[in-house]
Amino acid sequence: MNGPNQDPRNERPQHLLGGHAMGNLPEQEREELFAAALQDQQLFDALMDEEALREMLEQPGAKRELIDALRPKESLLGRFRKWMGTPMGWGAAGAVATTALVVGFFATRLTQPVAQMQMAKQNESAPVAITPPPAAAAPEARKAVRARQPEVESKRPATVERDKREEAPAEKEMARNQAIQQQAPRQIQAIREQQQAAPVFDQQVQVQRQDSQQPVGGVIGGIIAPPAVTAAAEAPAAPPPAPKAAPMRIAAPPVQYTLLKRDEQGNYAPATTFRDSDAVRIRVTASQDGFVALTRRGEAKAIVSLTPVREGQTLLLPASGFLLPSSQPYRLEFARQIPMAPGATGVIGGFRAGSPAREMKDELAKSKDAAAPAQPTIIEILIKGTEN
Amino acid sequence: MDRERVLALLRERIVAFAASRYRRDLAEDVAQEVLGLLHEKYSHVTEMTELVPLALQIARFKIMSGVRTGQRRGEATAIPVDDLPLATLDPDPAELAEKKEQLARLKEAMLSLGERCRDLMRYKLEGKSFAEIQRLFGAPSINTIYTWDLRCRKQLMEAMGGKWEAGK
């Protein structure tokens, strides 16, 4: 080697050779390299050899292609983190959070009718009326029940139910229904014992299966427990208190129903099994003054809207036409009062769908329960049909 | 260093290079053509940092052109370089395809390097100076980077078969 590179102290131009083809030498280093190459044949030869690489890299897009290939591959998590730092990532996160909130909200709302159905099925196998069990963990509720026992014996059951409904917050109804569902077996046993001792409404009360596979007919009050019944039922299972002199009586069921099927002559008769094409009506007998309506789950429009009914009166729903077996349960709704105030709680499909006529308002005004808040009772009736 | 001095040194280096790699007669002719072009066509280029790379580029082009012609015509029927046709500077399609293949080879070779060499090559391609690369690697001395670069280039050259261009 001739030139400055013979001096071991000056090896820098040799090192700069690697930067020539890549084009990463500053002006000063380029000058240093070329000056050395003019003096050093070996360095010049190396520079000439590098020319091929430099020419290769000078092709349009060549450097970019190599840089992309050499860039370390980012992990999926790393790419996700990087993406989350962008406005689009923030937007997507917001959308996901909103969707989760909406889904959670509707899922919570949808559990209410499901719970009602579950409770109804729980009671299907127990042809009894529900008597509130004693509750150790709910002393206030138990006290309230005890305090009202003398009053209960002197009043009609419907009045007892109304009074207790006033005390029961509507928003706790769902939780109470679930408590009843959990305690149903224990309650059934207690109730049977009480029935043997002092039957009160047993002759009237019939709870039947609603899937039309069992004897037809039902009692709304025995299936969807009104707040008066559930007030004491939310307490956890506990040993029953000392027996009282007078047994606890439950509120009378507000309405009974029977499923009717049209025969070949066009007459409607009670039936237990249905085919898909059968014409069905529901015979409803009220044990209280009030209003009934009939809807079907998932439908906003009422099949029968807001029909006044007197104590002991029997109605056919629908009065004209008929129902068909359906996979969606029908909802028989009963209320003792039309919810008049805007935004009143307890407004349900059938009562919301129709606007009260004048005569209905008159009925309401005449009603001795007019001052009571509207707390509609709902029973879901599943009329299953078999294939023809 | 003035222009005349640079050109004189360039001629000397080009002749030595071509003579060592190819034929002596071809070396003289190549050097002559390079200097002729630098005088006639690039007389306005005076700076050494521009003259040297320009001369390298022209010399390489002339040498490769002469080699191709010699291969095409055969060594036994070699003709004087004066008879060689002047080719255009634009690459022909075959040349473009060849460059594309070479680039693919280079890419494959670079990807076969170790992680540190790949990073070093990437930094160089991105135009980062050796001082900047030293900071990026956190190396204690710039000589460490020079050493790494020397080793990496050697590995790269080996991965490409000992030379940058295939079959030349």
Side-chain angles (χ1 to χ4, degrees):
Chain A
M1 184 184 295
N2 54 0
N5 278 341
Q6 289 175 334
D7 184 355
R9 293 172 298 179
N10 192 5
E11 293 180 351
R12 182 177 153 91
Q14 283 281 358
H15 296 310
L16 297 179
L17 191 61
H20 169 63
M22 300 284 185
N24 64 319
L25 293 179
E27 187 65 22
Q28 184 185 354
E29 290 180 347
R30 277 164 53 88
E31 190 173 348
E32 189 178 347
L33 174 65
F34 295 148
L38 287 175
Q39 303 296 329
D40 185 345
Q41 183 62 49
Q42 196 172 350
L43 185 59
F44 186 87
D45 291 354
L47 211 51
M48 278 297 293
D49 289 336
E50 287 290 305
E51 229 3 68
L53 178 61
R54 192 199 58 78
E55 190 180 301
M56 214 183 298
L57 296 174
E58 285 300 311
Q59 296 177 62
K63 280 186 179 176
R64 177 48 52 193
E65 186 179 342
L66 291 172
I67 289 169
D68 290 342
L70 291 170
R71 186 165 287 137
K73 298 289 180 291
E74 209 166 3
S75 67
L76 194 64
L77 184 63
R79 277 187 287 175
F80 177 73
R81 282 177 181 164
K82 194 175 178 181
W83 180 72
M84 282 302 293
T86 64
M88 187 178 289
W90 280 102
V96 168
T98 306
T99 306
L101 282 174
V102 170
V103 169
F105 174 76
F106 281 108
T108 306
R109 295 292 299 266
L110 286 175
T111 54
Q112 188 168 0
V114 171
Q116 288 176 350
M117 280 295 292
Q118 287 175 342
M119 191 174 67
K121 287 181 179 177
Q122 181 78 24
N123 289 329
E124 284 169 5
S125 59
V128 294
I130 295 175
T131 302
E140 293 180 5
R142 190 169 65 241
K143 286 176 186 175
V145 172
R146 285 175 181 169
R148 289 177 182 273
Q149 279 183 355
E151 199 179 346
V152 167
E153 294 193 9
S154 61
K155 285 184 178 180
R156 293 178 55 217
T159 308
V160 175
E161 180 191 3
R162 183 201 61 199
D163 293 345
K164 291 187 176 180
R165 258 185 204 165
E166 290 173 358
E167 297 175 3
E171 59 269 16
K172 291 186 177 178
E173 188 173 356
M174 188 66 216
R176 289 169 175 166
N177 288 343
Q178 291 174 349
I180 284 182
Q181 188 178 352
Q182 293 170 355
Q183 298 185 359
R186 189 183 300 272
Q187 292 174 7
I188 289 166
Q189 183 63 30
I191 289 165
R192 281 178 178 161
E193 293 172 4
Q194 290 184 1
Q195 283 173 342
Q196 292 172 0
V200 180
F201 293 109
D202 296 14
Q203 288 77 13
Q204 301 176 25
V205 175
Q206 304 170 45
V207 178
Q208 298 178 347
R209 293 183 63 84
Q210 298 170 10
D211 59 1
S212 74
Q213 302 301 321
Q214 296 294 322
V216 181
V219 179
I220 291 178
I223 294 175
I224 304 299
V229 176
T230 60
E234 62 182 339
K244 296 286 182 180
M248 181 68 184
R249 298 179 185 181
I250 68 161
V255 65
Q256 298 178 12
Y257 75 88
T258 305
L259 297 183
L260 308 176
K261 182 169 74 173
R262 188 173 65 183
D263 57 19
E264 294 178 353
Q265 287 74 37
N267 299 320
Y268 283 87
T272 58
T273 58
F274 300 91
R275 292 178 301 175
D276 286 339
S277 59
D278 281 340
V280 181
R281 283 181 178 172
I282 302 173
R283 185 170 64 201
V284 177
T285 303
S287 58
Q288 299 175 14
D289 295 346
F291 299 87
V292 295
L294 184 67
T295 61
R296 187 159 59 179
R297 187 197 287 177
E299 295 181 3
K301 186 179 179 182
I303 300 169
V304 177
S305 63
L306 201 60
T307 303
V309 62
R310 286 288 186 185
E311 179 182 352
Q313 185 181 354
T314 299
L315 293 176
L316 282 179
L317 301 179
S320 61
F322 54 83
L323 308 172
L324 285 173
S326 168
S327 60
Q328 291 295 319
Y330 292 94
R331 294 164 62 94
L332 180 59
E333 305 167 5
F334 175 85
R336 286 174 296 141
Q337 180 185 357
I338 305 172
M340 300 295 290
T345 60
V347 179
I348 53 176
F351 296 97
R352 191 193 305 123
S355 70
R358 177 182 296 278
E359 56 270 25
M360 294 177 183
K361 292 178 182 175
D362 294 342
E363 291 282 346
L364 176 67
K366 291 176 194 170
S367 172
K368 57 188 175 184
D369 299 332
Q375 285 289 345
T377 304
I378 305 169
I379 180 171
E380 294 195 332
I381 306 170
L382 182 60
I383 306 175
K384 282 184 180 173
T386 58
E387 291 185 1
N388 294 325
Chain B
M1 195 180 295
D2 62 359
R3 189 172 191 272
E4 293 304 318
R5 174 68 180 152
V6 171
L7 290 178
L9 287 172
L10 275 174
R11 185 181 189 285
E12 189 180 339
R13 300 291 161 238
I14 291 170
V15 168
F17 173 78
S20 66
R21 303 292 176 93
Y22 305 100
R23 301 194 311 268
R24 181 76 193 178
D25 56 339
L26 179 64
E28 293 286 349
D29 292 340
V30 166
Q32 194 60 36
E33 286 187 43
V34 170
L35 291 181
L37 272 174
L38 290 177
H39 274 297
E40 294 168 10
K41 195 172 178 182
Y42 300 102
S43 57
H44 58 282
V45 179
T46 56
E47 291 297 322
M48 182 191 65
T49 53
E50 294 177 358
L51 269 175
V52 174
L54 184 60
L56 292 172
Q57 198 172 351
I58 296 171
R60 173 178 153 71
F61 175 77
K62 292 294 180 186
I63 290 169
M64 297 313 299
S65 178
V67 168
R68 284 198 199 96
T69 306
Q71 288 173 345
R72 192 163 56 240
R73 297 185 177 180
E75 292 295 332
T77 56
I79 58 169
V81 73
D82 295 336
D83 296 339
L84 294 175
L86 284 177
T88 173
L89 289 173
D90 298 332
D92 59 30
E95 219 172 317
L96 284 175
E98 189 180 358
K99 285 182 177 176
K100 199 173 179 182
E101 283 181 14
Q102 288 170 355
L103 183 62
R105 282 180 57 244
L106 178 63
K107 184 176 170 182
E108 191 180 345
M110 279 187 170
L111 290 174
S112 71
L113 298 175
E115 185 180 351
R116 189 168 67 191
C117 284
R118 289 203 306 270
D119 288 343
L120 181 60
M121 292 293 169
R122 179 163 58 87
Y123 292 146
K124 285 168 68 178
L125 286 167
E126 287 171 350
K128 292 182 170 60
S129 67
F130 285 111
E132 289 172 320
I133 294 171
Q134 178 197 355
R135 282 195 293 273
L136 286 169
F137 276 115
S141 163
I142 199 166
N143 285 327
T144 306
I145 302 298
Y146 289 148
T147 306
W148 288 354
D149 183 48
L150 191 66
R151 290 175 185 165
C152 290
R153 287 180 61 247
K154 191 178 175 186
Q155 291 175 19
L156 183 63
M157 178 80 85
E158 288 171 359
M160 292 192 71
K163 52 188 176 183
W164 299 124
E165 292 174 298
K168 293 184 179 171

